[in-house]
Each structure stands twice: as C-alpha cells, then as structure tokens.
Amino acid sequence: MSSLAIDTAIVSFDTGYTITNVRSVVNEKEQLVFASTYEGTLLVVTQSGEIKWKNTLSGFMNHDIWAQDIDNDGASEYFAANADGSVYALDHQGHIMWRFAPTEAPMNAVTVITNGKTPVVVAGGYDNSFYYIDVNGKLINEVKSADYSISIPKYKHTSSFDEEGAREPKRNRHAINFLRPINKNDGTQSLVVQTAINSMQTSGSLYLFDYLAQKPSYGQDISATNTPIGDLKVVDIDNDGNDDILMGSTKIKKNGLTIFHPSNKKQSIFTLEKISKKLKEFGYRVAQPEVVNYQGKKSFFLLYGNRLAIFPVDSTIHDVTIYTSHYSFNDMWRIENTNKIILASVQSGGSDIHIIDLDNERWSDEFEALEPTGKMQRVNQNVQTLKKQVNAYRPQYQNKPVYFMSDNRNADPRVIEHLRENYQSPVFLNYGNLGSENYDRSIIKNKAYRNKKDRRQKYNLSQEDVLAKAKKLYKGDHGASFWGGHGNDPHFRSLDTHKKTLDLAKGSKTVMIFPEIAHYNRDFVEMLDDFFYPLAEYSQQKNGIIFLRNKHTFWQSQVYRSGWSRLLSGEFADVFVPGMEETTDKSMELSLSARMGLWAAGSVDAWGTRFSRDNTSFDRLRQRSHQMVPNHALRQFVYHIASGSTYINNFAYDSKYMEVLWEMIAKGIIYVPNIRDIVSFSPVHLSILPPDGHYTDEGNNVKWLNMFDAKVEEDNKLVFSRLNGTWPGAPVTDYDFSRYAAGVKDRRLNFLAPYNNGLVLMTPPQEGPYADKEANRPPLKDSLNPLYADILQEFYTDGRNYYSEDGKHVFAADQYYTVIEQAIKQAATSLPIKVTGAVASVTAQMSSEKLRLTLIDSGYINPSDRPVTLQFNDKLNIESVVDVLTGEKIKVEYKKATLVVPAGLFRFIDINLKPKKGE
C-alpha cells in the first residue's frame, strides 16, 4: 500500500520483495519504477505502488538492469544482466523476448545505444568481453578486452606453497563494470565502458567507443581516485550539450566522486574525506551520485549509506548539507527530467520503494524520520516482541561460558555488569589495543617476515609501554582480548613481549586475535615454527587463546598443508580457535562446516565466529554493506552459538541491539552445546586431504576479477568450485559440495545455509593411509554423540577430486558427487529430526528426555517468514513439542509438524521425550 498523503514529500510503498536495484521508465506515457529483487525477480511498479507485472527470470540475482524502447512503439522493453551469465530481454508486459548467454560467467552490465533509430543492446561482465546484440537477441559482435585493454595488474603469488596450480591475472584483460550511453551535442551517442581488474586495489579504466566500434576511440586509467568504482551515472554537468561521466567509489575510506569530461578528457574528483566528519566516513559504502536542480542551483545529490549529501556542482566543502536516516538503502536513481529520486529498499531486508520529491521542502524532515513499512517493519516489530518474551523468561539452567571478545567497547556498562553479577555466561573480555612495538627485529629468524610490516601500525612503543597498556587492560578478573598481529605482519610485538603480557594475566583468559594469517610458503612455515608454535606452547601454561581470524577457504584448504600439522593433530587444541572474517567471501557454508569439523575431530576444543559491518559484501564493486540494523548479525550469532561457537568477535556498532542475544545466552534460551550434544550432523563427513594447488589458489583468490577462462573451467571440475572473484552471485555447479550437501544455490551470502539433510562436516582423515595415526585426538566416532557410533561414512577429497579409502582410486568431482549426494540423503533418515525449509537449524540433545531444536530465518539480508516442516524419526517417543519462549504446543501428526519462523527471527523448540521404560 502507498503512504501517499497530501503534501507528502516521500511516497513509500511495500512491494513484498527486498528491492536491490531501481530505475525509472516511461511506459505508454506513464512514469513507472523498474526494479530487481534479491531473488532476481523483475518488477514494474506504478508510483502509487501497484505492481504492473513481475517475472522471476532465472531465480538468480541481477547485477544490472536497464529499460528503453527499442521497437519504437512508445513502451519500454526491459533488460537484466543476470548472474547466471545471461542477458534477458522482456517486452513491456514482462514476457521474456529473448535470452543471450555467451558464457557461464556472470553478466554485470547492460545498456542500449542508438545510431539514429537503430538501437543496439550492449552487455558484458566477468568473461572479459562485452557484446553488441541486435533487438532480436542475435549477436552482432563480441569485443574482447584482450584486444584493447590497458590494464596491467600488479600481482604477487601468496597462496600456494610451491605455486603449483596458481594463476596470475593476465595483462591487458578486464571485467566489465559499467556500460552506459553518452549523448553528444551533435545528436549522436557513444558508449562508455568502465572496467575493473581488482575489487580492492584499483579504480579500473574508462573507455569511449563509437557506435558498434571494435576498438575504443579513447581509453585511460581512472587516476583521480584509488578506490574501486561502485556507481556510474551519465549526465551533462557543465551544460555544454555533452554528457559527462560521474563515478562514485566504493571502499571503507578515501571515497570520492570522480568526474570525467569526454569533451576535454579531463578527470576531477570531489574527495569525501573533506566532509568525512559529517558523513562519518568509517564503513564500506558506495558513493552513489546524481545531479539535480536544487533550490535554483545545479547540485550533486549523493547517497552514501544512510546519509544524503547535497552541494552545488561548483561548491566548496562549506556548501555541503548532510541529511541522516536511521537506515541505509540498496540503490538510488533519479526520475528523468524531474527532481524526484527513487530509493530502493532499506538495507537489512526492507521491501519498500521510496520516492523523494526534492521540490517539496518537507522532504529532508521526512527522510530523517523515515520508517519503512513491509518486511523491515515486521522484522523490527518481531524483535521488539522477542525482547519482551526474553525479558519475561525465567532461566532454567546456566550455559557454559561464551566469550564476547570485543562487545564491551560500545555497550552499556550497566547491562554488562548486571550479566556478570547474575550469570556465568556470557563472559565479556576487556578489549583493547596494545599497539605495535619498536624492537630489534633481527631476532626474527625468517628474513621475509623480519622485513614485513603493516603500514597501518606505527611501531613506536617500547616493551615497557606495551606492558603498561596490557596491565590496564587486565583490570578486574574478566580477562582480555587484543590483536596479536596480522597476516601483513604477525610480529606486531616480539615473542618475549607476548610472553610477558600473558604473565600479567595471572591465569585469567587472554585471547590474541590474529587476522588473515592465510599466506602459505616456505617463509610462512618457518615463521610458524619460530613464532606461532612457541607462542602456543607458552599459552598452554597461561590460559591463552590464539584466535585465527582467517579468510576464504583457509579452514578447508591451507590448514591441511603440512606446516599446520601440529594444529590439526590436536597438540594445541586448547589454544588455537578457528575463526573467520568472511568479507568478500561467497562460501560461508563451507567455512562453517570446516571449523566445526576441526572441533568435532578434536583438533581444537572450541571454534569462533566474527561479525563486521561488511559481512554482507560479496561484491565489492557494488558495495551494499552499510547495514544500520544488525538483524542479520543477531541471527548469525544465534545460529553459531547454538551450534557450539563460544568465541565471538563482534564489530559492536549497535550493542543495544545485541543485548537480547546476551540475555538469551544468560538465561539458557540458546542452548550452547558440547560436541557430543549435537545430533543434527549428517552421518556423512568429508575428510580433507592436502589440497590441490589449483583449488587452493581459486579458493583464496577472491579480489582479482579478470580470471575467467572457459577452458580452465572446463578442464578443472572442482568439488568446491566458482570461488574466485569472477563469480559473484553465480549459480554453483550441480557437482559442487555447496549445492548437494549444504542446499546452497549461488555464490552469495550463505551464512545461514539450510543443510536440510544435516550439516556435513569437513574433517581431518580418520581412516586409511591418509589418517594421522600419531594425532593427539580421539577418533571422530568417539567425539560425537553415541548416535553416530556405527553410522559414520567417510569420503575423501583434495578439493579437486574424490579418493577411495585406500588411496588407490581417483574419482572426478562432476561424476562421483552423485554417490555422496545419495549417501547424504539416505543417512538423513537416521537423524532424530529432518528439517525442511529455508532455515538454518541445529538440534542438540540436552538430556535423555529433551532435544532442543533451533530454527533461524535463513535470509541473511533478505528476511522473510519461513514455513518449516519437521519430520521426526519413527524411533522418537514424543511426549510434546513446545516453543521455548511462547509455550505454544506444536501439533504433531504422523511424526510430522509444521510451523513458521518469523521474519528476522528464530525459534527455539523443545522436543520432550517420554521416559524409556525402567527409567
């Protein structure tokens, strides 16, 4: 329904979908909104909120959309650049006219250019080409970047021990980021092609092509900014009749607006750092610019997360006015020839479209007071209901400690003190920064690491300075957490200083966080032996924890190389905690299985999780990660803690929101299981062998965007595939573990994967010649619940192929997967409960007479009410099934029950069993 009212400056209407892209369009003289949803559905909506038509297309996301009349009938046709590798063309009623799919690499950009009355569709993406397509969907010409690209990547191998299988991004080849038509004052159009080779380290290049040209008339690197380009608009800024190119960057800092004038080939930049205090610069955001006529002046209109900035095109920093919303938005577009701005849904899962009339002076007040309807409103209401239920709940028991390593930074100290005084869990560690030490680095044995420094560090403290800071951090008996080092330099402080810091703890818990310790070569192995393992040995005596906050596929690839054998063996199970930072990753379902597999196998005694505001960034070129409502973080933590995670590294930007999580832990609403409690693991597990070099490189090479090679893909059918930077939002292959085991369909934000047949663990090998017979850990079957004693099935992979137990036979990933898929489906019949639905779930055995089932809405930034079916094992003698918070008794018929998990929430269900006879 529309919120249209008299003199309303902002019209908002609920579409029922999470809207990710918006454009304006005229269809039969009616101004409409063309939109794409998180699921990839296309919608055309009136400005009063009526959906004229919708089309689900492929079921995969659209990276770009465009609308233009290409048959001169007065009504627009619609185009979508889809992650499945296709461009879709739809008629004005939403019916597919044609589909063009040159490769399987995601399409990233689409537009239309004309020469007189002859329109041509232009599309391109991650296969390093763009294509001219006629109005009937037939290829006119392919333009290969290799024929004109000026991109020269700066690349250094880091991921592979011997570089076997490692690939370098090729010179003079690039992905297509944006395609747009440019109007010239002679009435003709040309094409702007903005390109990218790396999602973090360069801004890419800009090319101008004449109509249907195979080579650009002009090309240059974008030098005005050193950040990737996240938005591009074409608009005549200087009123010379020639369109200019307005680009907004995407990064955590040093963002800006870059302007390119095709008429004189000049670049200029408005650096947002100049107004960073007003914009509150920190946080990954796209700077989305437009040009409007505002209060009599041609002005830049900038969407930047939850802030709008307006300033005249000839402005200084003193002319900037900032307006702040409670929410960030997914996209922005100006309705042509008007002063109206379309905003897509609010981030974190809104379903509204908002239209701002800048000619109405009330707009800024309404923007700052804006509260979405639709899904975001339901999520907010659901969370408020949850808080009331949790507050009224009386504790049944106390959980084992869950350590929050960084949440005390911005939290209300009264709340934390109340929890500390009344409950044994959660435990809030004192978090701080011990700085970096200025010491004689000649004591570092390895030369490469001796000279390796993190440019963010000052290296200006003496050992005495560091220890003085540590002493303050250890106040009370709560324990402390702090960064120990980083992959850029693990040696922030000397080993001796680390040991003396641990001495100061006097036995209280110390967590040393080491992010991105993911490189692997001979220098790294020497550093492990010289630094990490001695630190681990000392930590065993001092209640110290080394929290390895790694990235990408580390916990299912790198850690299985020989240098990490002492971790895998369980020698330091009480010290090492596997954690993850999964920004830019697209494989969260894999890291979860891998960390929990190490825990289940006894390599580690605990596992950890981490949240940052850019967790939602799977595509840095279109950064949509300035979530103002951390509902997705809340659900991620509920899932992981209910799955046994006890070390939580949270970027605490809204601690008030997280208070309900702490209370649920304290009161036992979330049950924190030991490994033997969990009964929702699949009896099938996948044991990881020393990883294949090509797989390892692909799995850790997520920033380079020009790596697609159809022949390489055809020749390398991997168990874990499509992991490098060229596959954002792409479908996983039929033979990929993510699909057949985790129930994941695309490479996106799968923090809450369904695993409907039980979580399939990735573990160290247990049997056969691959197993470490000297390992200091029990067999997997002895660690798990007795349910698994006689039903475990082990399969083996190096990430490329599967292998027989005796190591004598090799099975191709694209053929043998059906054997494992069938084994997983069959083994699921042995589990107490089979959960079917778009939810993450975990079942734990609390006692011989009670199971606790936790169900979580799986839409990470796409929340929705989730219908769920529970199929109970025939052997369960059920007395009752009860919602823990509401007390609702759930009806069970023929060993089956149905329920709904509310949008943005979770449900805790107790399955109470009848006592066995004689008990």
Side-chain angles (χ1 to χ4, degrees), residues 537-671:
E537 289 170 350
Y538 201 77
S539 296
Q540 285 182 313
Q541 309 167 40
K542 301 291 181 177
N543 199 14
I545 294 294
I546 298 175
F547 186 88
L548 293 174
R549 205 175 78 189
N550 286 335
K551 302 186 79 167
H552 316 321
T553 60
F554 177 87
W555 294 112
Q556 66 188 77
S557 60
Q558 245 88 314
V559 77
Y560 284 92
R561 292 186 180 274
S562 59
W564 285 105
S565 61
R566 295 178 71 182
L567 185 156
L568 286 179
S569 73
E571 178 183 354
F572 300 112
D574 54 343
V575 173
F576 285 118
V577 172
M580 280 293 286
E581 54 179 279
E582 304 191 86
T583 60
T584 73
D585 286 354
K586 300 172 279 291
S587 53
M588 299 80 180
E589 73 283 0
L590 304 182
S591 71
L592 177 67
S593 167
R595 280 174 289 161
M596 292 188 71
L598 292 173
W599 179 49
S603 294
V604 296
D605 291 342
W607 66 281
T609 188
R610 183 247 192 177
F611 172 80
S612 179
R613 291 185 74 176
D614 58 330
N615 264 30
T616 58
S617 170
F618 66 97
D619 179 9
R620 280 272 157 91
L621 291 181
R622 312 282 171 86
Q623 192 73 256
R624 302 286 185 257
S625 58
H626 197 249
Q627 318 286 321
M628 297 299 293
V629 182
N631 179 264
H632 55 306
L634 175 63
R635 282 179 284 135
Q636 175 187 333
F637 286 148
V638 168
Y639 180 36
H640 288 184
I641 293 167
S643 298
S645 179
T646 49
Y647 286 86
I648 316 299
N649 187 198
N650 183 28
F651 186 93
Y653 74 93
D654 189 350
S655 294
K656 187 70 178 174
Y657 203 92
M658 289 297 165
E659 289 177 6
V660 68
L661 173 70
W662 306 338
E663 193 173 357
M664 286 190 292
I665 297 167
K667 292 184 172 183
I669 297 168
I670 301 175
Y671 177 65

Side-chain angles (χ1 to χ4, degrees), residues 553 556 586-591 593 686 695 698-699 713 716-724 727 730-748 750 753 755 760 762 797 799-802 812-822 824-825:
T553 60
Q556 66 188 77
K586 300 172 279 291
S587 53
M588 299 80 180
E589 73 283 0
L590 304 182
S591 71
S593 167
L686 196 60
Y695 150 64
E698 293 286 290
E713 295 300 321
N716 292 272
K717 305 289 182 67
L718 305 179
V719 174
F720 311 108
S721 63
R722 296 187 173 179
L723 292 168
N724 71 35
W727 298 102
V732 297
T733 61
D734 287 343
Y735 50 85
D736 195 291
F737 175 94
S738 294
R739 185 203 63 81
Y740 73 73
V744 164
K745 61 179 284 188
D746 58 12
R747 288 285 176 228
R748 213 164 11 161
N750 298 304
Y755 277 106
V760 180
M762 297 185 213
T797 185
R800 173 188 289 275
N801 298 308
Y802 298 102
D814 62 335
Q815 299 173 28
Y816 194 71
Y817 80 94
T818 57
V819 174
I820 307 178
E821 181 176 24
Q822 185 57 38
I824 291 170
K825 290 179 178 178

Side-chain angles (χ1 to χ4, degrees), residues 266-504:
K266 299 286 188 182
Q267 293 184 38
S268 59
I269 187 169
F270 185 92
T271 304
L272 299 185
E273 282 187 305
K274 296 177 181 178
I275 55 173
S276 61
K277 289 184 179 179
K278 292 184 178 181
L279 288 173
K280 293 188 176 179
E281 176 77 9
F282 190 84
Y284 280 98
R285 287 169 279 182
V286 172
Q288 282 197 273
E290 266 292 359
V291 174
V292 298
N293 292 308
Y294 188 66
Q295 296 179 349
K297 294 183 179 180
K298 181 168 276 194
S299 300
F300 290 120
F301 184 91
L302 175 71
L303 175 66
Y304 196 57
N306 67 321
R307 289 171 170 78
L308 291 175
I310 300 181
F311 45 100
V313 296
D314 56 356
S315 71
T316 67
I317 61 172
H318 304 293
D319 298 319
V320 177
T321 304
I322 307 290
Y323 302 100
T324 303
S325 171
H326 301 298
Y327 302 90
S328 295
F329 300 83
N330 284 328
D331 195 18
M332 179 190 78
W333 195 266
R334 183 175 68 88
I335 299 176
E336 285 76 4
N337 303 314
T338 74
N339 265 353
K340 290 185 177 182
I341 299 290
I342 309 170
L343 296 180
S345 298
V346 300
Q347 292 179 16
S348 301
S351 55
D352 287 354
I353 291 174
H354 312 274
I355 301 176
I356 304 175
D357 183 358
L358 297 179
D359 291 331
N360 187 320
E361 63 182 15
R362 294 163 53 99
W363 82 264
S364 56
D365 291 337
E366 291 185 21
F367 175 75
E368 295 195 323
L370 186 147
E371 285 295 330
T373 63
K375 291 202 296 182
M376 195 74 252
Q377 183 182 56
R378 294 204 305 277
V379 169
N380 289 338
Q381 291 171 344
N382 289 343
V383 171
Q384 292 306 311
T385 299
L386 170 72
K387 289 179 177 179
K388 293 177 182 176
Q389 292 170 343
V390 172
N391 184 59
Y393 185 83
R394 294 295 168 255
Q396 305 297 312
Y397 65 93
Q398 295 219 346
N399 269 314
K400 67 179 184 179
V402 176
Y403 296 96
F404 281 85
M405 297 150 55
S406 43
D407 276 69
N408 65 342
R409 284 178 296 178
N410 302 310
D412 185 337
R414 295 170 299 180
V415 173
I416 290 181
E417 195 57 37
H418 168 76
L419 292 168
R420 281 174 170 168
E421 288 179 356
N422 292 281
Y423 303 97
Q424 67 183 31
S425 184
V427 176
F428 295 90
L429 301 176
N430 297 330
Y431 180 79
N433 180 6
L434 298 189
S436 51
E437 184 182 2
N438 181 16
Y439 63 100
D440 180 3
R441 292 176 72 97
S442 67
I443 63 174
I444 298 173
K445 184 176 178 181
N446 182 269
K447 182 178 179 180
Y449 279 88
R450 185 186 312 150
N451 298 324
K452 202 172 170 54
K453 286 191 174 182
D454 190 321
R455 61 186 177 184
R456 297 168 296 183
Q457 297 295 309
K458 296 180 179 179
Y459 298 94
N460 60 346
L461 301 180
S462 67
Q463 185 180 81
E464 290 73 19
D465 294 333
V466 172
L467 295 178
K469 292 167 73 75
K471 189 173 183 179
K472 291 180 180 179
L473 196 60
Y474 281 116
K475 63 183 178 181
D477 58 357
H478 312 306
S481 63
F482 47 82
W483 274 30
H486 190 277
N488 295 331
D489 175 22
H491 301 89
F492 281 6
R493 298 175 288 281
S494 69
L495 180 60
D496 182 62
T497 300
H498 277 293
K499 290 179 177 179
K500 288 178 178 176
T501 301
L502 288 166
D503 291 341
L504 287 173

